[in-house]
Amino acid sequence: MKNQRPGGRLRDPFDAPANAPDPGAIQALVQAALKEDLGNGDLSATLVPAEQKARAELHLREPAVLCGQAWFNACFRALAPGVQVVWLVEECARVGTPGIVAEVTGPARGILSAERSALNLLQTLCGTATETARLVRLLSGGRTRLLDTRKTLPGLRVAQKYAVRCGGGYNHRMGLWDAVLVKENHILACGSIQVAVDRARKMGKGRWIEVEAEDLDEVSQALDAGADVVMLDDFALEDLREAVERIRGRAISEASGNITEAMLPEIAGTGVDYVSMGGLTKHLRAIDLSLRFT
């Protein structure tokens, strides 16, 4: 079978090792955030003498998964040469008790100017990781795992997908270049699921192919065409169970479409391999963090 490894094990495109944040991507995002905030310069920071040093504590105000240290650090290093950031909690740690999680020392002006951008990024990534961890717990005890989507905040794709991994979730494709996802309009434009998958295979790039199915008939078509992953879009629970049974051993199954947290335990009960939720990265609440001079 096209989607099997030697020994008969299905190739799982989502079960890949989590990559460390790319330094180039971190710097690009940080520079964009600082440029947006600073403009031609920080007027308020000029109230403080240029030579003044400062020490600040980073306070976490609520339980959270701490995520985004690299982005936080990069903001201060860009504006405050010689700054030191000492973390008291490890990256991706689940912190149950509010308190001081980091200390920042260095030029006061630079710390003041970088503060908002650093907090914006950290709060957003902590929020993504924390929400992911909360939803992953609702799936515990079964085989179903949580997937993100491309429904990320503009400019934050790489960072948020990293945060999802910190929270215990898994990444779907990063963008349009790293996999083929055959959706309704692709099927209509190509004429059939079989034609769309055949054309994808002829690309010869070794990319995995996923087909979005809207009913059980399309599930069978996707399997016959040799899809690696079958996305079950907006399936009723009974149809989802039937689809999972048809797919098992032939492809990876993914439940998707208007899924809420209340639905997760029942969806997990079907034995589907993955459930994807766009709200994981677009309907998030920033974690309450603040930086205070001492």
Side-chain angles (χ1 to χ4, degrees):
M1 292 176 63
K2 294 184 181 71
N3 59 344
Q4 285 191 338
R5 292 173 177 168
R9 182 184 174 189
L10 282 171
R11 179 174 66 88
D12 188 337
F14 308 129
D15 191 12
N19 294 322
D22 174 64
I26 293 171
Q27 287 300 322
L29 178 54
V30 164
Q31 289 302 318
L34 292 173
K35 181 178 180 180
E36 176 183 62
D37 203 31
L38 285 170
N40 293 326
D42 183 351
L43 298 177
S44 301
T46 61
L47 302 174
V48 178
E51 69 279 3
Q52 185 168 326
K53 303 295 183 183
R55 177 181 179 277
E57 295 173 338
L58 178 63
H59 293 260
L60 175 65
R61 306 291 187 186
E62 60 181 313
V65 175
L66 192 64
C67 176
Q69 293 183 6
W71 287 266
F72 184 88
N73 295 351
C75 285
F76 289 107
R77 289 170 182 160
L79 298 183
V83 71
Q84 289 189 327
V85 182
V86 177
W87 287 94
L88 308 179
V89 177
E90 291 185 358
E91 176 80 336
C92 298
R94 286 158 173 76
V95 184
T97 304
I100 299 170
V101 294
E103 298 171 348
V104 182
T105 55
R109 280 190 181 181
I111 292 174
L112 288 167
S113 295
E115 175 186 359
R116 184 69 270 153
S117 296
L119 284 174
N120 283 349
L121 290 168
L122 186 66
Q123 289 175 303
T124 299
L125 298 186
C126 286
T128 302
T130 301
E131 178 68 359
T132 300
R134 187 179 71 83
L135 296 175
V136 165
R137 284 195 292 272
L138 297 178
L139 294 170
S140 62
R143 62 178 286 131
T144 305
R145 292 175 284 188
L146 184 65
L147 270 178
D148 58 23
T149 71
R150 287 168 42 243
K151 296 177 182 178
T152 52
L153 300 179
L156 293 176
R157 174 74 54 82
V158 172
Q160 282 195 286
K161 282 185 172 283
Y162 166 77
V164 166
R165 297 294 293 213
C166 278
Y170 291 78
N171 297 150
H172 205 277
R173 55 180 181 163
M174 183 64 70
L176 295 172
W177 69 88
D178 57 351
V180 177
L181 176 50
V182 179
K183 297 172 71 70
E184 176 187 10
N185 285 334
H186 300 102
I187 296 168
L188 291 171
C190 292
S192 71
I193 289 173
Q194 184 69 61
V195 170
V197 172
D198 286 346
R199 288 177 181 175
R201 291 283 179 215
K202 289 177 181 177
M203 291 180 186
K205 296 181 179 179
R207 306 298 192 214
W208 51 271
I209 299 171
E210 179 168 8
V211 172
E212 179 185 72
E214 296 184 333
D215 54 41
L216 290 170
D217 180 59
E218 289 191 345
V219 170
S220 295
Q221 291 181 52
L223 293 172
D224 291 342
D228 299 300
V229 184
V230 181
M231 178 190 291
L232 307 166
D233 185 48
D234 257 337
F235 272 51
L237 200 61
E238 288 306 313
D239 286 343
L240 184 60
R241 288 195 183 95
E242 171 63 24
V244 169
E245 288 305 310
R246 291 190 190 186
I247 294 169
R248 197 182 309 282
R250 300 180 65 186
I252 303 297
S253 58
E254 174 192 344
S256 185
N258 299 311
I259 292 171
T260 65
E261 64 175 271
M263 299 164 62
L264 289 178
E266 286 188 326
I267 288 175
T270 68
V272 69
D273 294 310
Y274 289 95
V275 56
S276 58
M277 298 180 69
L280 191 61
T281 49
K282 68 172 183 174
H283 297 159
L284 62 90
R285 184 183 66 82
I287 294 299
D288 189 0
L289 288 147
S290 64
L291 193 70
R292 297 294 301 270
F293 277 25
T294 61

